Amino acid sequence: AQSVTQPDIHITVSEGASLELRCNYSYGATPYLFWYVQSPGQGLQLLLKYFSGDTLVQGIKGFEAEFKRSQSSFNLRKPSVHWSDAAEYFCAVGASAGGTSYGKLTFGQGTILTVHP
Amino acid sequence: EAGVTQFPSHSVIEKGQTVTLRCDPISGHDNLYWYRRVMGKEIKFLLHFVKESKQDESGMPNNRFLAERTGGTYSTLKVQPAELEDSGVYFCASSQGRGMPQHFGDGTRLSIL
């Protein structure tokens, strides 16, 4: 069964500082990987995705993530955080083709990001 | 293009009552998913429709939950009778194809008293 671990429940950074949110997954084959963000009172917004190819993927709002198969990781990064980035971030793995669970997402526990001015 | 729409945004009911949540996916998206986040826990998959057919309902907690998708358009999720542990945020998502990125609604916050 697939699983996702986000080791950090809460991270606090200063505005302008760099950010890295950790995500480790467990999946038997090559996974589909996603990062979503949820701002207060809103739904989940897709930041970026990895399906195949280049292991460094660029997303919206200046975010990027790197897929490292050897470490089963898909960490999210941003070089300079803005106050508007304060939100909850979710890493998710999607079952790849084959089987009834194809398409289903398994989420990590989420990481709450607080940004200090 | 309108996004995924969920109704109501918040529902407060008493234990033992019935509640129906609705989800309108993005037009043309055959794949519709329901997820739930109970407070303090991760977002968990409930079920997946492809058009009007249930493709995977392995995440449905018990038979008090009934999901339908009439005509392959909007979907409803009924909880009958509601129990305290059903409280949480219910998310709906849709995608053009299986494995494609899922677009989420704002969720329905369900509170059982």
Side-chain angles (χ1 to χ4, degrees):
Chain A
Q2 61 208 53
S3 67
V4 179
T5 301
Q6 292 179 247
D8 305 305
I9 295 175
H10 196 170
I11 283 184
T12 299
V13 300
S14 298
E15 191 169 17
S18 64
L19 172 71
E20 182 170 33
L21 302 183
R22 296 182 290 165
C23 172
N24 292 95
Y25 69 89
S26 174
Y27 186 64
T30 299
Y32 296 161
L33 294 162
F34 306 86
W35 274 99
Y36 284 87
V37 61
Q38 184 182 25
S39 297
Q42 298 187 14
L44 297 165
Q45 181 182 23
L46 180 67
L47 282 176
L48 47 78
K49 62 186 182 292
Y50 172 78
F51 283 178
S52 63
D54 193 345
T55 56
L56 183 63
V57 294
Q58 303 296 321
I60 62 171
K61 303 184 180 186
F63 285 92
E64 66 178 26
E66 186 171 13
F67 170 57
K68 292 185 177 180
R69 183 189 303 276
S70 61
Q71 298 176 22
S72 298
S73 69
F74 189 56
N75 294 349
L76 181 71
R77 300 192 295 248
K78 186 169 185 178
S80 178
V81 171
H82 188 262
W83 63 266
S84 60
D85 293 324
E88 190 164 16
Y89 292 78
F90 296 92
C91 180
V93 60
S96 53
T100 58
S101 61
Y102 174 37
K104 157 189 170 182
L105 294 181
T106 298
F107 285 87
Q109 299 91 327
T111 298
I112 297 171
L113 175 65
T114 298
V115 181
H116 281 166
Chain B
E1 174 185 81
V4 176
T5 307
Q6 293 187 244
F7 303 97
S9 57
H10 194 179
S11 180
V12 181
I13 63 170
E14 292 188 349
K15 175 183 171 181
Q17 291 186 320
T18 298
V19 62
T20 300
L21 314 181
R22 172 170 169 147
C23 169
D24 287 74
I26 292 173
S27 178
H29 282 193
D30 288 339
N31 292 268
L32 187 149
Y33 305 82
W34 284 98
Y35 295 86
R36 176 175 75 170
R37 189 181 195 193
V38 173
M39 185 173 293
K41 303 285 189 179
E42 68 270 28
I43 300 169
K44 284 199 169 180
F45 168 83
L46 294 178
L47 88 160
H48 169 207
F49 283 100
V50 178
K51 297 185 179 179
E52 67 276 6
S53 300
K54 292 176 185 175
Q55 183 65 44
D56 180 358
E57 50 184 332
S58 61
M60 294 288 265
N62 51 60
N63 59 10
R64 295 186 293 103
F65 288 76
L66 175 64
E68 295 180 322
R69 189 179 184 193
T70 307
T73 54
Y74 70 91
S75 174
T76 58
L77 180 65
K78 184 194 295 188
V79 185
Q80 179 182 29
E83 298 290 344
L84 298 178
E85 64 265 26
D86 300 333
S87 296
V89 180
Y90 290 75
F91 291 102
C92 176
S94 71
S95 68
Q96 283 186 314
R98 297 178 73 177
M100 298 295 288
Q102 296 177 21
H103 301 266
F104 282 77
D106 288 346
T108 293
R109 181 172 297 276
L110 179 61
S111 300
I112 314 298
L113 304 180

